[in-house]
Amino acid sequence: MHRRRTLVVFLDDHYVATPAGVFGTLALPYTYWKQYLEAFDEVRLVARVAQRAQVDPRWNRADGPGVQFIPIPEYAGFWENLTHLPRNLARARAGLAAGDFYLLKGSTLAAFAWIWLTLLRRPYARTVMGHEGFTVALLPNLQRFGLASRVAQFTHWLGCRQVQGAACVHYWSHSLHAAYPPPRGAPRYVFAEVELADGVLTGPRGAETFCADPLRLVSVGRMSPEKGYRELLEALKILHESGERRWTLEAVGGGPELEKLRELVVQYGLADRIRFVGLIPWGPELFARLDHADLYVLPSLTEGMPRAPLEAMARGLPVISTTVGGMPDVVGPAQLVPPGDPGALADVIQQYIGQRSKLAAMSPEAFHVAMRFHPSQIRKEKLAYWTSLRECTQRWRRVTGRANRSASRTI
């Protein structure tokens, strides 16, 4: 009987636990995590989990057969992270004791696990999904005390150290590969771990499905500073003040800035053109809103390879984006603007107003790019990465086992 192969994953997603199980909204669901069972016997997820009596029935279940949580009580923010440091270190150590293979997926909890893994000299895999430190630099409290730049630099340095110590590394984009050089000789994989379900992939859209006058913009994401929604509102304000008012925006998602963004819409006098509709769970209702739009906007200040714009492209919806993460790998230069530049974003949006035929011509290319993220292709990449982690760890066990036996004979 072979030894059970238990994978422990340290991640930054937030979940909610009820008597019925663990659930998430934007967090990865059970349908994602059970894929790891192709390479491992069971999966244990170390993540922040809030306790609730019940959740919205539309939320996605995250645990299930073979996939369980090692919960860390919910907290948020840089200062709370410091406050709970001893507790999180202890929980990370308990997470290591629960498994045989280790994957660091994120930055916050992964850092606590990395400390123990380094001390114990155990192999691990590191997934790099975005530029470490950029999101931290946007935190208002750090900016207020003048600490944002130094903390961001430290976070980036810490991410580089974790990558350098990894047995194998996975990057979500080529730019991340350049920013976080892998250790010499270690297997490295470059692919965006975005797997588009068959129900999302539809096909290119016909010209009759586009309006363009007014241009119907849509965006899906977490309403937090790093997602750039303030900059998007500034861009639309620029268009409005220039006299260009043939556009509308529907923004989907929840988060800490949602109410502030709604207030800004009113303050800018744009309530008749912009709607922040709140959270809509993944599924038919969300897809219908994508299908009704003319153009998807990603205004983020930092990203890895975001799923939402790729799902829009999978439905034949053209995308404009900032030059963050892996987005230059999936959209052309004419559809990209620098992050944090409302003027440039306004200029690009204006180019598509009234351009129905132009949008229709972009639809087949958007769908073609999305097909690169078909489950059959992405799962091959992921299985190769997971197998590499498993094999690196097994080699380490054989070597350390021989060393221990030799030491015993010498004694």
Side-chain angles (χ1 to χ4, degrees):
M1 181 176 180
H2 78 278
R3 174 176 176 174
R4 287 191 67 77
R5 300 173 300 189
T6 300
L7 172 69
V8 179
V9 185
F10 295 84
L11 66 155
D12 287 341
D13 288 349
H14 297 257
Y15 290 88
V16 173
T18 74
V22 181
F23 295 81
T25 53
L26 298 177
L28 293 165
Y30 176 73
T31 52
Y32 168 83
W33 293 114
K34 73 175 183 180
Q35 298 174 53
Y36 284 78
L37 300 178
E38 297 177 27
F40 303 95
D41 297 316
E42 54 189 357
V43 179
R44 298 289 180 265
L45 305 176
V46 181
R48 285 169 282 191
V49 181
Q51 300 292 324
R52 290 191 189 176
Q54 58 184 11
V55 297
D56 189 313
R58 298 176 298 174
W59 286 20
N60 299 309
R61 181 79 179 265
D63 61 339
V67 178
Q68 302 298 323
F69 278 77
I70 301 173
I72 289 181
E74 174 63 18
Y75 71 92
F78 176 79
W79 299 115
E80 287 196 32
N81 197 28
L82 289 180
T83 302
H84 298 302
L85 192 150
R87 181 194 69 183
N88 291 341
L89 274 171
R91 292 295 180 106
R93 183 67 181 87
L96 297 187
D100 309 292
F101 306 88
Y102 309 106
L103 170 58
L104 308 186
K105 192 181 180 73
S107 58
T108 304
L109 297 180
F112 298 118
W114 171 74
I115 292 172
W116 289 114
L117 289 165
T118 303
L119 290 172
L120 298 171
R121 298 184 179 181
R122 293 187 183 180
Y124 61 89
R126 179 64 157 87
T127 291
V128 185
M129 298 181 289
H131 291 277
E132 312 284 354
F134 195 96
T135 302
V136 173
L138 298 172
L139 295 175
N141 286 335
L142 291 182
Q143 293 177 346
R144 185 178 304 117
F145 292 104
L147 297 173
S149 177
R150 291 189 178 184
V151 174
Q153 291 173 3
F154 173 75
T155 305
H156 177 79
W157 172 85
L158 189 59
C160 288
R161 291 294 302 270
Q162 292 172 31
V163 169
Q164 283 295 312
C168 54
V169 188
H170 164 215
Y171 301 93
W172 276 48
S173 70
H174 292 281
S175 66
L176 292 172
H177 183 277
Y180 298 87
R184 181 175 298 179
R188 76 285 313 264
Y189 303 85
V190 182
F191 65 93
E193 198 178 352
V194 178
E195 184 176 316
L196 300 180
D198 290 330
V200 177
L201 292 157
T202 55
R205 289 169 48 175
E208 72 282 356
T209 66
F210 291 94
C211 176
D213 187 4
L215 181 70
R216 301 169 299 185
L217 303 169
V218 68
S219 188
V220 181
R222 178 173 169 78
M223 302 301 155
S224 52
E226 73 276 8
K227 296 302 182 180
Y229 282 102
R230 286 178 179 259
E231 287 74 14
L232 176 56
L233 291 185
E234 290 289 340
L236 296 175
K237 180 185 176 185
I238 291 171
L239 286 178
H240 180 79
E241 292 178 345
S242 72
E244 180 56 83
R245 300 171 184 178
R246 296 175 295 161
W247 55 266
T248 63
L249 168 67
E250 184 171 69
V252 179
E257 284 216 314
L258 179 58
E259 294 308 319
K260 292 180 181 178
L261 291 169
R262 285 172 170 162
E263 292 172 4
L264 273 181
V265 169
V266 175
Q267 179 182 326
Y268 291 167
L270 301 176
D272 60 333
R273 288 179 172 79
I274 298 176
R275 294 179 61 224
F276 281 85
V277 299
L279 184 66
I280 298 176
W282 188 90
E285 183 181 352
L286 178 60
F287 302 155
R289 292 174 186 265
L290 295 176
D291 295 342
H292 184 68
D294 297 313
L295 186 65
Y296 186 100
V297 184
L298 181 78
S300 292
L301 305 180
T302 180
E303 287 285 358
M305 181 66 78
R307 176 186 300 272
L310 292 173
E311 290 181 342
M313 295 167 73
R315 305 188 77 81
L317 181 61
V319 170
I320 60 174
S321 170
T322 50
T323 54
V324 293
M327 291 309 293
D329 294 346
V330 296
V331 298
Q335 299 159 247
L336 293 168
V337 299
D341 190 338
L345 185 55
D347 289 342
V348 171
I349 291 173
Q350 189 166 32
Q351 294 176 17
Y352 296 96
I353 297 176
Q355 300 297 318
R356 180 178 177 181
S357 59
K358 183 177 182 179
L359 290 164
M362 295 167 64
S363 181
E365 177 61 23
F367 179 74
H368 175 74
V369 171
M371 284 296 291
R372 286 162 37 191
F373 299 87
H374 191 278
S376 61
Q377 177 60 34
I378 297 300
R379 288 186 181 181
K380 290 179 183 177
E381 302 273 10
K382 289 194 287 192
L383 185 57
Y385 174 48
W386 301 335
T387 301
S388 180
L389 168 60
R390 198 178 66 201
E391 292 176 347
C392 288
T393 303
Q394 290 169 340
R395 283 197 298 271
W396 171 82
R397 281 189 187 140
R398 288 195 293 269
V399 171
T400 55
R402 286 197 298 269
N404 289 337
R405 287 194 295 272
S406 297
S408 299
R409 285 195 296 270
T410 301
I411 293 172

